[in-house]
mmCIF file of all heavy atoms in Angstrom:
data_model
loop_
_atom_site.group_PDB
_atom_site.id
_atom_site.type_symbol
_atom_site.label_atom_id
_atom_site.label_comp_id
_atom_site.label_asym_id
_atom_site.label_seq_id
_atom_site.Cartn_x
_atom_site.Cartn_y
_atom_site.Cartn_z
ATOM 1 N N GLU A 47 -13.079 -13.557 20.426
ATOM 2 C CA GLU A 47 -11.688 -13.471 20.930
ATOM 3 C C GLU A 47 -10.742 -13.527 19.759
ATOM 4 O O GLU A 47 -10.824 -14.447 18.922
ATOM 5 C CB GLU A 47 -11.405 -14.637 21.876
ATOM 6 C CG GLU A 47 -12.193 -14.607 23.150
ATOM 7 C CD GLU A 47 -11.881 -15.786 24.036
ATOM 8 O OE1 GLU A 47 -11.416 -16.832 23.543
ATOM 9 O OE2 GLU A 47 -12.163 -15.690 25.246
ATOM 10 N N ARG A 48 -9.818 -12.584 19.684
ATOM 11 C CA ARG A 48 -8.797 -12.585 18.658
ATOM 12 C C ARG A 48 -7.417 -12.495 19.291
ATOM 13 O O ARG A 48 -7.224 -11.806 20.292
ATOM 14 C CB ARG A 48 -9.019 -11.420 17.689
ATOM 15 C CG ARG A 48 -10.276 -11.585 16.872
ATOM 16 C CD ARG A 48 -10.393 -10.520 15.800
ATOM 17 N NE ARG A 48 -11.569 -10.814 14.955
ATOM 18 C CZ ARG A 48 -11.898 -10.092 13.930
ATOM 19 N NH1 ARG A 48 -11.150 -9.030 13.576
ATOM 20 N NH2 ARG A 48 -12.940 -10.408 13.188
ATOM 21 N N PHE A 49 -6.482 -13.181 18.670
ATOM 22 C CA PHE A 49 -5.136 -13.271 19.195
ATOM 23 C C PHE A 49 -4.148 -12.710 18.177
ATOM 24 O O PHE A 49 -4.217 -13.064 16.972
ATOM 25 C CB PHE A 49 -4.794 -14.718 19.514
ATOM 26 C CG PHE A 49 -5.812 -15.337 20.414
ATOM 27 C CD1 PHE A 49 -6.926 -16.016 19.914
ATOM 28 C CD2 PHE A 49 -5.709 -15.231 21.803
ATOM 29 C CE1 PHE A 49 -7.879 -16.570 20.727
ATOM 30 C CE2 PHE A 49 -6.673 -15.760 22.647
ATOM 31 C CZ PHE A 49 -7.769 -16.447 22.098
ATOM 32 N N VAL A 50 -3.267 -11.831 18.627
ATOM 33 C CA VAL A 50 -2.245 -11.241 17.755
ATOM 34 C C VAL A 50 -0.910 -11.841 18.122
ATOM 35 O O VAL A 50 -0.514 -11.793 19.301
ATOM 36 C CB VAL A 50 -2.225 -9.676 17.931
ATOM 37 C CG1 VAL A 50 -1.205 -9.079 16.957
ATOM 38 C CG2 VAL A 50 -3.616 -9.108 17.695
ATOM 39 N N GLU A 51 -0.227 -12.416 17.118
ATOM 40 C CA GLU A 51 1.079 -13.048 17.326
ATOM 41 C C GLU A 51 2.065 -12.573 16.279
ATOM 42 O O GLU A 51 1.680 -12.156 15.192
ATOM 43 C CB GLU A 51 0.925 -14.550 17.192
ATOM 44 C CG GLU A 51 -0.020 -15.153 18.166
ATOM 45 C CD GLU A 51 -0.259 -16.629 17.895
ATOM 46 O OE1 GLU A 51 0.646 -17.434 18.222
ATOM 47 O OE2 GLU A 51 -1.311 -16.956 17.362
ATOM 48 N N VAL A 52 3.338 -12.673 16.637
ATOM 49 C CA VAL A 52 4.418 -12.367 15.670
ATOM 50 C C VAL A 52 5.287 -13.594 15.567
ATOM 51 O O VAL A 52 5.560 -14.271 16.558
ATOM 52 C CB VAL A 52 5.255 -11.162 16.163
ATOM 53 C CG1 VAL A 52 6.450 -10.949 15.253
ATOM 54 C CG2 VAL A 52 4.408 -9.896 16.209
ATOM 55 N N GLY A 53 5.737 -13.874 14.340
ATOM 56 C CA GLY A 53 6.628 -14.993 14.117
ATOM 57 C C GLY A 53 7.362 -14.807 12.796
ATOM 58 O O GLY A 53 7.164 -13.803 12.101
ATOM 59 N N VAL A 54 8.219 -15.762 12.491
ATOM 60 C CA VAL A 54 9.065 -15.666 11.307
ATOM 61 C C VAL A 54 8.832 -16.813 10.356
ATOM 62 O O VAL A 54 8.613 -17.938 10.791
ATOM 63 C CB VAL A 54 10.568 -15.573 11.725
ATOM 64 C CG1 VAL A 54 11.031 -16.833 12.437
ATOM 65 C CG2 VAL A 54 11.452 -15.233 10.555
ATOM 66 N N THR A 55 8.822 -16.507 9.073
ATOM 67 C CA THR A 55 8.619 -17.504 8.042
ATOM 68 C C THR A 55 9.901 -18.284 7.759
ATOM 69 O O THR A 55 10.975 -17.912 8.267
ATOM 70 C CB THR A 55 8.163 -16.858 6.714
ATOM 71 O OG1 THR A 55 9.268 -16.107 6.158
ATOM 72 C CG2 THR A 55 6.947 -15.968 6.892
ATOM 73 N N ALA A 56 9.820 -19.290 6.956
ATOM 74 C CA ALA A 56 10.994 -20.087 6.580
ATOM 75 C C ALA A 56 12.050 -19.260 5.864
ATOM 76 O O ALA A 56 13.233 -19.615 5.886
ATOM 77 C CB ALA A 56 10.567 -21.254 5.701
ATOM 78 N N HIS A 57 11.621 -18.169 5.257
ATOM 79 C CA HIS A 57 12.538 -17.316 4.514
ATOM 80 C C HIS A 57 12.920 -16.047 5.279
ATOM 81 O O HIS A 57 13.492 -15.117 4.660
ATOM 82 C CB HIS A 57 11.916 -16.955 3.135
ATOM 83 C CG HIS A 57 11.670 -18.168 2.297
ATOM 84 N ND1 HIS A 57 12.684 -18.914 1.726
ATOM 85 C CD2 HIS A 57 10.533 -18.799 1.959
ATOM 86 C CE1 HIS A 57 12.173 -19.935 1.069
ATOM 87 N NE2 HIS A 57 10.870 -19.897 1.191
ATOM 88 N N GLY A 58 12.641 -16.029 6.575
ATOM 89 C CA GLY A 58 13.086 -14.914 7.396
ATOM 90 C C GLY A 58 12.212 -13.673 7.388
ATOM 91 O O GLY A 58 12.627 -12.604 7.825
ATOM 92 N N ARG A 59 10.996 -13.818 6.913
ATOM 93 C CA ARG A 59 10.063 -12.674 6.910
ATOM 94 C C ARG A 59 9.281 -12.696 8.222
ATOM 95 O O ARG A 59 8.732 -13.714 8.612
ATOM 96 C CB ARG A 59 9.117 -12.823 5.717
ATOM 97 C CG ARG A 59 8.087 -11.726 5.584
ATOM 98 C CD ARG A 59 7.219 -11.972 4.383
ATOM 99 N NE ARG A 59 6.290 -10.852 4.197
ATOM 100 C CZ ARG A 59 5.259 -10.876 3.350
ATOM 101 N NH1 ARG A 59 5.033 -11.951 2.631
ATOM 102 N NH2 ARG A 59 4.488 -9.834 3.245
ATOM 103 N N TYR A 60 9.211 -11.571 8.889
ATOM 104 C CA TYR A 60 8.508 -11.448 10.143
ATOM 105 C C TYR A 60 7.077 -10.998 9.867
ATOM 106 O O TYR A 60 6.850 -9.976 9.203
ATOM 107 C CB TYR A 60 9.222 -10.501 11.107
ATOM 108 C CG TYR A 60 10.537 -11.055 11.550
ATOM 109 C CD1 TYR A 60 11.697 -10.785 10.843
ATOM 110 C CD2 TYR A 60 10.623 -11.882 12.668
ATOM 111 C CE1 TYR A 60 12.912 -11.305 11.226
ATOM 112 C CE2 TYR A 60 11.848 -12.419 13.072
ATOM 113 C CZ TYR A 60 12.976 -12.103 12.335
ATOM 114 O OH TYR A 60 14.183 -12.644 12.725
ATOM 115 N N LEU A 61 6.130 -11.742 10.411
ATOM 116 C CA LEU A 61 4.710 -11.459 10.191
ATOM 117 C C LEU A 61 3.987 -11.240 11.500
ATOM 118 O O LEU A 61 4.268 -11.892 12.508
ATOM 119 C CB LEU A 61 4.028 -12.633 9.465
ATOM 120 C CG LEU A 61 4.475 -12.932 8.053
ATOM 121 C CD1 LEU A 61 3.731 -14.162 7.568
ATOM 122 C CD2 LEU A 61 4.296 -11.762 7.132
#
Side-chain angles (χ1 to χ4, degrees):
E47 295 179 339
R48 292 186 175 183
F49 306 91
V50 182
E51 301 173 74
V52 174
V54 63
T55 70
H57 299 289
R59 181 180 184 191
Y60 293 91
L61 296 177

